Amino acid sequence: MDRDPHVCVMGEDVGHYGGSYKVTKGLADKFGDLRVLDTPICENAFTGMGIGAAMTGLRPVIEGMNMGFLLLAFNQISNNCGMLHYTSGGQFTIPVVIRGPGGVGRQLGAEHSQRLESYFQSIPGIQMVACSTPYNAKGLMKAAIRSENPVILFEHVLLYNLKEKIPDEEYICNLEEAEMVRPGEHITILTYSRMRHHVMQAAKTLVNKGYDPEVIDIRSLKPFDLYTIGNSVKKTHRVLIVEECMRTGGIGASLTAAINENFHDYLDAPVMCLSSQDVPTPYAGTLEEWTVVQPAQIVTAVEQLCQ
Amino acid sequence: MALSRLSSRSTTLLQPLATTSLLRRRRHISTDTTPITVETSLPFTSHLISPPSRAVETSSQELLSFFRDMALMRRMEIAADSLYKAKLIRGFCHLYDGQEAVAIGMEAAITKRDAIITSYRDHCTFLGRGGGLFEAFSELMGRTTGCSKGKGGSMHFYKKDASFYGGHGIVGAQAPLGCGLAFAQKYSKEEAVTFTLYGDGAANQGQLFEALNIAALWDLPAVLVCENNHYGMGTAEWRSAKSPAYFKRGDYVPGLKVDGMDALAVKQACKFAKEHALKNGPIGSNHHAFAFVFEQILEMDTYRYHGHSMSDPGSTYRTRDEISGVRQVRDPIDRVRKLIISHDIATEKELKDMEKEVRKEVDAAVAQAKESPIPEPSELFSNIYVKGFGAESFGADRKELRATFP
């Protein structure tokens, strides 16, 4: 926001309150109420407003207080955000960033534990990225703001408290590139967002058991970084996808299809996909735990695949 | 304005037809800008604000340009009707004939720096903003020479350099976009206004109320214009709205009800609304006071002769007598024609000649558009993303340079 006066933020309680997860803390004091705009509760209207402003050249960062609330703005995101560049024959670009926390939290209930990446993935014209560490959160956010394309940045409710030492200087992460978290030889584990941390936990156990998993944080949910993924598949010949989306129609489902289509000859075993159950996220703690993929399940799956 | 471009083209068309005396006379009257004052046919009804005066200042030049431009719009829509029936225009085609006065009157009151955004009934608004007939017909027929390269179609006309932001298929979705345009105008401190047009059907959408609220809350220079043609596709307004007084729907937002078939009344109302939206508040430090709202709702009482779209005959939910009644009594072009004749600005014959000219122009544009190429297959994939970011990127190991964006 210092660098470019066209960048502004809008969302519910982003200004004076500092953001429901403190992401925008301090910005309103520094940049004022117009550049850090507290909106009323009208997702459709303020998302549309951000898109309209972007048509004229502003670069809004639109926050959904919880990703799930953006379902109310689906029409604006799909029809206007994604498609205006195309239907206007290239006259308008929509350089918005739509961001917010999603994913399963700590007993937040079904409606506040949604994973919208599966619903948005078919919209043409948008890019989707998911951050998972403080380092890539900063890099991806900067890249998303600078991009001329609309980018949806998926954050996770439970990852805001992660602490990491990151460089002070400006750096950006490539929006379309996956991150090699742990190189390995036996199996490719593809994951993103919070599940990366579950995978890394499982990796410790796996290493002790003598396995050498290659862990890739795909980061770019649309488009997939098939180059990095492909190189890995060609090396290990086994793929496990670990995601937080639902089984049906999730990112894992699309990724499975893409890998089978492109790298079928390199696979020694069918692609395995561990996803959340196709259920509304229950409130009860133990039930919620079993809705998402746990490290123990990842270990079992790897053992199964590597037989 | 559209007139100067059109008249330069028309003089070449005129050569074989006109006599020198006619040419001389037209040149004289069409540049006459002495003010003429005309009273609007109906008074304005207002909500929370004192209405503007019924006396509108205009000139011979303006009246003639109104006539010509509206005749052009009317002709274009009729030509689109035939093209649709000939299956050269496909999909949805929503025609604006009958409502021309709204587009024309609005243009007369504003500049190209003010933004307009409207719904799918956008062909004439596009023309009013300076769009060309050839681009319009090419787009309708899906050719590369169209204003959206043939990829948008009837519902997606845009003209960025004239601040025309479309052209939207989903009912009411343009209202929040319009607030965004107004927000950007306020953010960049431009002395410009956004006119957000929507219909009586869209007035019942939740996003309209959201838009009303945020525009009033943040003092956005937005004017919401409800083009009330009394039918939301097949449903009459009394069957879909508990309160069809759309100009009052804003509650705390001032509103004005305007005879949308009278181009001069539309011009007066839009001028009034623009001035109101740009004012910095009546009492300096108090401009956030509840009483003063920059925003305004203009309800244009208008009528469409065609059905909702080409697949709708338009007569199953309204009688043919009603349609022909409106055409006889309230037609916007006839109204201006009578004004021109009564003020001795031109004769009946000259106006008829103008209409013939317009017809030729439209026919020529259609013929030219018919010859235009269809898009290349590669166009399917262009303009989905904008390429290039102008920055370097780092890989996961944080040291190695993976790619440089151009």
Side-chain angles (χ1 to χ4, degrees):
Chain A
M1 285 179 79
D2 269 323
R3 180 187 60 92
D4 183 356
H6 292 106
V7 179
C8 54
V9 181
M10 51 184 76
E12 293 157 16
D13 278 327
V14 293
H16 296 186
Y17 192 84
S20 56
Y21 288 92
K22 301 283 175 267
V23 175
T24 48
K25 187 170 165 193
L27 290 182
D29 291 328
K30 190 168 174 201
F31 296 107
D33 283 346
L34 190 67
R35 277 188 84 185
V36 185
L37 192 66
D38 278 326
T39 65
I41 306 175
C42 51
E43 279 76 12
N44 195 339
F46 70 72
T47 308
M49 190 173 104
I51 295 165
M55 283 168 94
T56 68
L58 288 191
R59 308 182 84 90
V61 177
I62 303 167
E63 173 176 308
M65 188 185 266
N66 185 291
M67 269 291 175
F69 305 163
L70 289 180
L71 285 173
L72 289 153
F74 207 112
N75 177 51
Q76 297 292 344
I77 295 174
S78 168
N79 292 332
N80 293 330
C81 182
M83 300 195 197
L84 270 172
H85 185 59
Y86 191 82
T87 57
S88 67
Q91 284 180 69
F92 298 112
T93 56
I94 316 287
V96 293
V97 178
I98 298 175
R99 50 159 293 270
V104 176
R106 296 250 183 271
Q107 297 183 258
L108 298 177
E111 290 171 356
H112 291 75
S113 314
Q114 299 192 70
R115 287 125 280 167
L116 291 216
E117 52 268 24
S118 28
Y119 307 155
F120 288 145
Q121 64 178 317
S122 292
I123 300 174
I126 56 160
Q127 275 191 264
M128 304 199 313
V129 285
C131 58
S132 49
T133 64
Y135 179 81
N136 61 34
K138 174 172 170 177
L140 289 173
M141 174 69 99
K142 282 188 182 287
I145 293 176
R146 279 159 227 235
S147 169
E148 287 298 318
N149 293 309
V151 179
I152 306 185
L153 175 59
F154 291 91
E155 301 159 10
H156 197 287
V157 276
L158 293 179
L159 297 182
Y160 285 120
N161 286 328
L162 284 180
K163 286 191 170 33
E164 191 186 346
K165 224 170 155 61
I166 59 176
D168 275 332
E169 77 264 6
E170 294 256 298
Y171 65 91
I172 63 168
C173 290
N174 190 337
L175 286 175
E176 290 139 9
E177 214 174 271
E179 187 179 320
M180 178 68 72
V181 185
R182 182 194 186 283
E185 296 292 325
H186 290 165
I187 181 172
T188 301
I189 306 183
L190 301 172
T191 181
Y192 67 94
S193 193
R194 180 174 169 229
M195 288 296 114
R196 165 196 175 135
H197 301 279
H198 277 207
V199 167
M200 289 312 287
Q201 226 182 313
K204 282 199 206 109
T205 319
L206 286 168
V207 165
N208 287 340
K209 290 192 177 190
Y211 294 97
D212 187 21
E214 176 154 293
V215 180
I216 295 179
D217 182 342
I218 61 173
R219 276 194 342 207
S220 175
L221 306 178
K222 182 182 168 92
F224 292 133
D225 180 5
L226 288 176
Y227 179 71
T228 310
I229 294 171
N231 286 345
S232 179
V233 174
K234 288 174 191 170
K235 184 168 64 165
T236 67
H237 311 295
R238 289 180 162 78
V239 182
L240 173 67
I241 302 171
V242 181
E243 57 157 0
E244 207 173 312
C245 269
M246 317 281 220
R247 182 125 207 86
T248 308
I251 297 289
S254 303
L255 193 50
T256 308
I259 294 173
N260 279 326
E261 225 171 77
N262 290 293
F263 309 117
H264 185 258
D265 288 334
Y266 297 95
L267 291 170
D268 282 345
V271 174
M272 203 180 202
C273 184
L274 292 178
S275 334
S276 300
Q277 303 306 314
D278 278 326
V279 297
T281 312
Y283 166 72
T286 41
L287 290 181
E288 184 187 65
E289 231 176 77
W290 286 107
T291 314
V292 294
V293 180
Q294 300 297 333
Q297 291 167 289
I298 302 172
V299 173
T300 319
V302 170
E303 288 176 334
Q304 215 179 324
L305 263 180
C306 287
Q307 259 162 14
Chain B
M1 266 273 284
L3 178 64
S4 49
R5 281 182 51 236
L6 295 171
S7 51
S8 60
R9 236 185 277 152
S10 70
T11 44
T12 50
L13 282 171
L14 212 49
Q15 303 301 34
L17 298 171
T19 62
T20 45
S21 59
L22 194 64
L23 199 61
R24 211 184 308 129
R25 183 160 174 218
R26 180 176 288 109
R27 217 183 291 128
H28 167 69
I29 48 176
S30 67
T31 54
D32 186 355
T33 49
T34 10
I36 303 172
T37 313
V38 180
E39 274 239 327
T40 63
S41 51
L42 292 173
F44 297 106
T45 326
S46 67
H47 171 71
L48 291 187
I49 201 168
S50 355
S53 141
R54 276 178 74 176
V56 187
E57 229 182 64
T58 178
S59 68
S60 322
Q61 183 194 25
E62 187 170 66
L63 286 173
L64 277 171
S65 77
F66 277 7
F67 181 82
R68 199 181 198 290
D69 291 339
M70 284 202 279
L72 193 75
M73 290 178 178
R74 178 69 59 90
R75 248 305 95 215
M76 175 179 75
E77 297 295 67
I78 307 286
D81 179 308
S82 321
L83 286 173
Y84 192 89
K85 289 178 177 143
K87 292 206 196 294
L88 282 164
I89 299 178
R90 313 306 300 273
F92 291 127
C93 189
H94 305 89
L95 300 178
Y96 199 72
D97 53 323
Q99 298 182 212
E100 299 90 352
V102 177
I104 285 297
M106 190 179 289
E107 285 300 329
I110 63 177
T111 70
K112 289 291 184 289
R113 287 184 53 235
D114 298 308
I116 295 185
I117 189 169
T118 182
S119 66
Y120 42 77
R121 211 177 289 280
D122 57 353
H123 308 164
C124 298
T125 323
F126 172 72
L127 228 61
R129 285 264 92 179
L133 278 175
F134 173 61
E135 278 88 49
F137 283 117
S138 299
E139 186 62 35
L140 287 172
M141 293 196 264
R143 312 297 169 103
T144 29
T145 42
C147 49
S148 299
K149 298 191 190 154
K151 299 200 280 197
S154 162
M155 299 188 280
H156 299 285
F157 280 25
Y158 305 93
K159 195 161 165 61
K160 187 171 185 185
D161 54 8
S163 307
F164 177 53
Y165 291 89
H168 295 275
I170 304 294
V171 171
Q174 71 273 20
L177 289 180
C179 289
L181 301 173
F183 176 79
Q185 284 169 335
K186 180 176 170 150
Y187 191 98
S188 314
K189 299 197 177 62
E190 297 170 22
E191 291 281 304
V193 173
T194 300
F195 281 82
T196 306
L197 282 76
Y198 60 97
D200 47 297
N204 298 316
Q205 277 258 326
Q207 40 194 337
L208 250 303
F209 290 96
E210 294 181 6
L212 267 172
N213 181 39
I214 59 180
L217 185 66
W218 296 322
D219 295 333
L220 301 183
V223 180
L224 294 163
V225 181
C226 177
E227 289 182 287
N228 184 5
N229 57 24
H230 307 286
Y231 295 93
M233 200 161 100
T235 309
E237 61 178 342
W238 57 270
R239 286 180 63 219
S240 64
K242 183 72 180 169
S243 158
Y246 299 107
F247 69 108
K248 285 193 189 158
R249 285 265 191 106
D251 183 23
Y252 43 81
V253 177
L256 205 62
K257 185 164 169 153
V258 185
D259 179 5
M261 306 298 257
D262 179 353
L264 290 171
V266 172
K267 173 188 163 184
Q268 183 84 321
C270 291
K271 190 153 157 273
F272 178 71
K274 177 175 171 174
E275 277 161 18
H276 180 96
L278 287 179
K279 258 197 287 212
N280 289 319
I283 310 147
S285 60
N286 238 9
H287 80 283
H288 284 296
F290 179 77
F292 193 82
V293 178
F294 291 91
E295 192 195 347
Q296 226 181 89
I297 304 180
L298 298 180
E299 183 186 332
M300 302 287 178
D301 188 345
T302 182
Y303 200 84
R304 54 167 163 80
Y305 298 141
H306 269 89
H308 164 74
S309 71
M310 286 305 300
S311 55
D312 170 23
S315 48
T316 52
Y317 47 87
R318 49 185 194 174
T319 60
R320 289 193 202 279
D321 286 337
E322 182 188 300
I323 306 172
S324 50
V326 174
R327 208 188 269 274
Q328 270 160 27
V329 177
R330 297 178 67 203
D331 184 74
I333 301 180
D334 281 338
R335 174 168 290 156
V336 176
R337 190 199 307 266
K338 287 191 188 111
L339 264 176
I340 291 178
I341 292 174
S342 67
H343 283 266
D344 268 331
I345 299 171
T347 63
E348 178 95 37
K349 180 172 184 311
E350 282 170 337
L351 293 179
K352 280 231 178 332
D353 285 340
M354 223 187 244
E355 284 180 302
K356 282 201 196 115
E357 228 183 275
V358 155
R359 191 173 181 146
K360 280 203 163 56
E361 214 178 301
V362 168
D363 289 343
V366 170
Q368 202 187 354
K370 277 184 185 166
E371 300 301 313
S372 297
I374 55 174
E376 294 287 313
S378 60
E379 280 289 319
L380 181 62
F381 298 105
S382 63
N383 301 128
I384 296 184
Y385 292 112
V386 181
K387 298 285 179 203
F389 298 83
E392 294 172 76
S393 76
F394 296 89
D397 55 8
R398 301 176 196 186
K399 286 184 211 136
E400 188 190 299
L401 189 68
R402 288 288 177 92
T404 309
F405 300 121

